[in-house]
Amino acid sequence: MSTSQLPSVDPTRTAAWATLQSERDALSGTHLRALFAADPGRFARFSLRLHGLLFDYSKQKVRAETVQALLALAEQCGVPAAIEAMFAGARINATEDRAVLHTALRDGSGGPRMVQTPAGAEDVMPAVRAVLAQMRAFVAALHEGSWRGATGRQIRHVVNIGIGGSDLGPAMVVRALEPDWLPHCRVHFVSNVDGAHLATTLAPLDPAETLFVVASKTFTTQETLTNAHSARAWLTGALGEDAVAKHFVALSTHEAAVRAFGIDPANMFAFWDWVGGRYSLWSAIGLPIACAVGMDGFEALLHGAYEVDTHFRSAPLGENIPVLMALLGVWNHNLLGSTAHAVLPYDQSLERFAAFLQQADMESNGKRTTRDGGAVGWSTGPVVFGEPGTNGQHAFYQLIHQGTQVIPCDFIACARSRHPLGDHHDKLLANFLAQPEALMRGKTEAEARAELVAAGKDEAAIAALLPHKVFPGDRPSSALLLDALTPRTLGQLIALYEHKIFVQGVLWNVYSFDQWGVELGKQLAGAILPELQGGPAQVHDSSTAGLIAAIAALR
Ligand code: F6P
């Protein structure tokens, strides 16, 4: 294992942890309402601005002393050194012996960015810029019509075939930037090995006008290769074998596998092992984004992320938004005991944002082994979930308001809509503001009683209804307010969460950039597949064997 792994620190043995436990006890009898009432400057004290973006954490259950203790925790767990190690290209993904350099993909400084290799330090920027230039030329050719399909027709549909990090980020961004889509060419995403996904996507498409982007870092992922082979059969069945050259491109780190699939490496857009799959939308994996919004739009996305990278690397911890997001998450999860985290964009364009974050967060920090190989003695990683507001309000918010668990929420909104329509956006924003206020304030028994009296209820009805009408409040949330959802602000938003996740991994003393936990299921599926296809029965538990037999009986 690399010697440049981050040091292993038990966060619960730091002095700051003990202070945080005292803080928790000190604050336990104090309602968030009281914290607001006691400090008219609370919003100003607990909010930060960055390039037009506002981060408000004043509705978190903290006071100044809590924030000081959280910042001390960051220091004592080595967060500043870890940030520097990541940006310096150290091989901090130690279990895979790789650097973590997705920030280089969006580095607009014009300077070098070094990756540390066993042979010494290497500047990655020439290769990064070369792929960006290759992407620019390809996207221009596609939109101008100089890249045409095998029959000479212009490409009207790009189908990205990938899964996990080779799907979720680009799919989320393309959906979010719908107002920026260029005409003439639509981008589609196929990820699931369920044949329905590919079949229903291809059904309305014409092979002569369709280009497939096979996106896979490893180019070995079963789902992606299965879909890619079926897509190839669909294409060649209509246009013949020679059509592959004009209808397939690959995004990968694995040239030999791309060649073996039958894609000319000239039609491959490369990236590198220091780009983690779930952090790869900034790399060649972003090609479908560039196809949808153009290369200028893609570079604006990179620029927004670069602005946040600069902030993250240089801002003092107490003014550092991703660091504070991470610390507040640890405070809520480890000290206050919440087990879930809701991400609630009041923006329909961000309907895939929670799904993207689920992989970014839970695949990164869903770990139980410390950096020195021991068992973690603290909880890592809440369950991340979410849906756009206001839809979620009519689905799961009941539990957030009155359920027995406290679920911290991130409320995200844009001040300006890209789809202005009557007073829709005012109503959306009214809800974006009302929900966190309701969670914070709650409704006391006296307030609930007054409402029931005003509604003309008699004493018996009031006594029966009152317990159901009380909201405890004191439920924490943060707000992220953007100007409007553009490539640049979206890049900022994504980078904030990426760095939050990184800092939490440092604090929880886990390796955030590997994903060994997804391997076992893959191995077992590989063993079961031949059985489903008529091969000899393997030894299984009785449940798995029973299910295999039931499937066989039904087919
Ligand atoms: O789910 C495991 C995983 O390795 C993810 O980390 C990754 O994003 C996804 O599979 C797809 O991998 P690839 O890009 O190599 O096909």
Side-chain angles (χ1 to χ4, degrees):
M1 192 172 290
S2 161
T3 51
S4 54
Q5 57 186 287
L6 302 175
S8 183
V9 178
D10 179 340
T12 65
R13 289 177 182 270
T14 58
W17 197 270
T19 312
L20 287 167
Q21 287 173 319
S22 309
E23 268 304 292
R24 175 189 57 201
D25 297 344
L27 280 169
S28 70
T30 309
H31 197 283
L32 266 168
R33 272 191 196 210
L35 292 176
F36 271 95
D39 179 6
R42 187 169 170 85
F43 169 74
R45 188 184 315 284
F46 296 130
S47 60
L48 289 163
R49 287 170 201 272
L50 176 69
H51 297 296
L53 180 150
L54 170 67
F55 173 56
D56 171 24
Y57 62 103
S58 59
K59 293 195 192 78
Q60 293 287 346
K61 186 81 182 273
V62 292
R63 57 182 185 175
E65 295 87 332
T66 324
V67 175
Q68 282 317 311
L70 287 167
L71 296 173
L73 180 71
E75 290 282 1
Q76 291 164 24
C77 289
V79 167
I83 294 173
E84 213 30 56
M86 175 171 75
F87 278 94
R91 299 173 89 76
I92 59 170
N93 175 6
T95 58
E96 296 181 334
D97 192 19
R98 291 173 181 170
V100 175
L101 261 184
H102 48 278
T103 55
L105 300 165
R106 56 224 192 183
D107 188 316
S109 71
R113 286 293 299 275
M114 309 311 282
V115 62
Q116 310 302 325
T117 76
E122 245 174 53
D123 181 11
V124 299
M125 293 312 293
V128 169
R129 291 188 196 108
V131 173
L132 283 172
Q134 185 195 3
M135 290 168 71
R136 180 171 282 281
F138 175 78
V139 171
L142 202 65
H143 285 279
E144 286 159 5
S146 55
W147 178 298
R148 287 180 179 261
T151 66
R153 301 249 294 275
Q154 192 164 349
I155 299 295
R156 304 267 176 222
H157 298 277
V158 170
V159 180
N160 190 81
I161 297 179
I163 198 164
S166 300
D167 168 77
L168 287 163
M172 179 273 287
V173 171
V174 168
R175 167 66 188 95
L177 297 181
E178 172 271 327
D180 299 289
W181 288 356
L182 298 175
H184 311 310
C185 188
R186 285 283 159 269
V187 179
H188 312 260
F189 290 86
V190 172
S191 54
N192 202 327
V193 76
D194 180 345
H197 203 177
L198 184 69
T200 55
T201 305
L202 297 188
L205 306 187
D206 180 342
E209 298 184 342
T210 302
L211 178 115
F212 292 97
V213 174
V214 185
S216 177
K217 181 177 172 181
T218 56
F219 231 76
T220 58
T221 303
Q222 184 197 51
E223 295 94 326
T224 298
L225 289 188
T226 304
N227 278 323
H229 280 291
S230 297
R232 187 192 160 115
W234 177 81
L235 180 92
T236 56
L239 304 179
E241 271 300 316
D242 291 347
V244 171
K246 283 289 169 198
H247 292 264
F248 272 85
V249 300
L251 320 176
S252 189
T253 60
H254 196 336
E255 185 180 316
V258 168
R259 196 190 295 273
F261 179 85
I263 297 177
D264 183 345
N267 292 339
M268 167 180 156
F269 298 78
F271 60 110
W272 306 275
D273 72 357
W274 42 261
V275 183
R278 49 194 174 274
Y279 300 88
S280 65
L281 71 89
W282 321 99
S283 71
I285 290 292
L287 188 70
I289 301 172
C291 289
V293 302
M295 204 56 198
D296 290 347
F298 182 63
E299 291 194 341
L301 182 85
L302 299 184
H303 181 68
Y306 174 60
E307 290 175 320
V308 167
D309 294 344
T310 307
H311 164 79
F312 179 53
R313 193 175 184 179
S314 60
L317 295 183
E319 293 159 32
N320 197 311
I321 298 176
V323 169
L324 284 163
M325 288 168 75
L327 289 167
L328 292 164
V330 168
W331 169 245
N332 284 321
H333 184 57
N334 298 94
L335 279 303
L336 302 184
S338 62
T339 55
H341 182 81
V343 179
L344 308 168
Y346 277 64
D347 195 315
Q348 191 59 27
S349 307
L350 289 172
E351 65 182 332
R352 299 288 291 152
F353 192 64
F356 161 75
L357 267 191
Q358 283 178 324
Q359 188 204 15
D361 193 314
M362 295 198 278
E363 197 171 273
S364 294
N365 289 336
K367 311 284 167 65
R368 59 198 294 281
T369 306
T370 61
R371 289 196 288 268
D372 61 1
V376 297
W378 49 92
S379 182
T380 66
V383 173
V384 176
F385 73 103
E387 273 291 318
T390 61
N391 288 357
Q393 290 175 206
H394 300 274
F396 54 81
Y397 278 35
Q398 166 64 37
L399 183 147
I400 300 179
H401 282 288
Q402 284 187 314
T404 51
Q405 342 173 18
V406 173
I407 301 185
C409 304
D410 288 352
F411 289 89
I412 302 169
C414 294
R416 291 185 301 122
S417 172
R418 304 278 312 266
H419 285 289
L421 181 62
D423 65 355
H424 285 236
H425 203 62
D426 292 340
K427 288 176 175 159
L428 182 72
L429 289 179
N431 281 281
F432 159 76
L433 296 166
Q435 289 295 328
E437 188 176 26
L439 286 167
M440 183 275 285
R441 291 176 55 83
K443 190 184 284 180
T444 63
E445 202 173 297
E447 289 166 342
R449 169 176 286 281
E451 280 181 10
L452 290 167
V453 169
K457 300 285 180 199
D458 62 29
E459 259 317 307
I462 290 174
L465 283 173
L466 197 52
H468 303 282
K469 297 275 189 173
V470 171
F471 288 60
D474 202 27
R475 302 203 161 192
S477 66
S478 295
L480 276 163
L481 182 65
L482 316 180
D483 170 19
L485 195 66
T486 63
R488 178 182 166 207
T489 59
L490 181 59
Q492 294 172 345
L493 182 69
I494 300 167
L496 285 177
Y497 277 95
E498 285 183 343
H499 294 321
K500 170 204 163 175
I501 292 163
F502 171 74
V503 172
Q504 290 193 327
V506 175
L507 296 168
W508 284 323
N509 192 16
V510 296
Y511 284 119
S512 299
F513 297 96
D514 62 21
Q515 54 284 318
W516 303 109
V518 299
E519 291 303 320
L520 178 59
K522 285 188 197 171
Q523 280 167 14
L524 295 185
I528 291 171
L529 179 61
E531 271 185 87
L532 292 180
Q533 295 173 332
Q538 311 283 318
V539 177
H540 297 288
D541 59 86
S542 63
S543 166
T544 309
L547 287 165
I548 292 172
I551 291 169
L554 286 168
R555 301 214 282 195

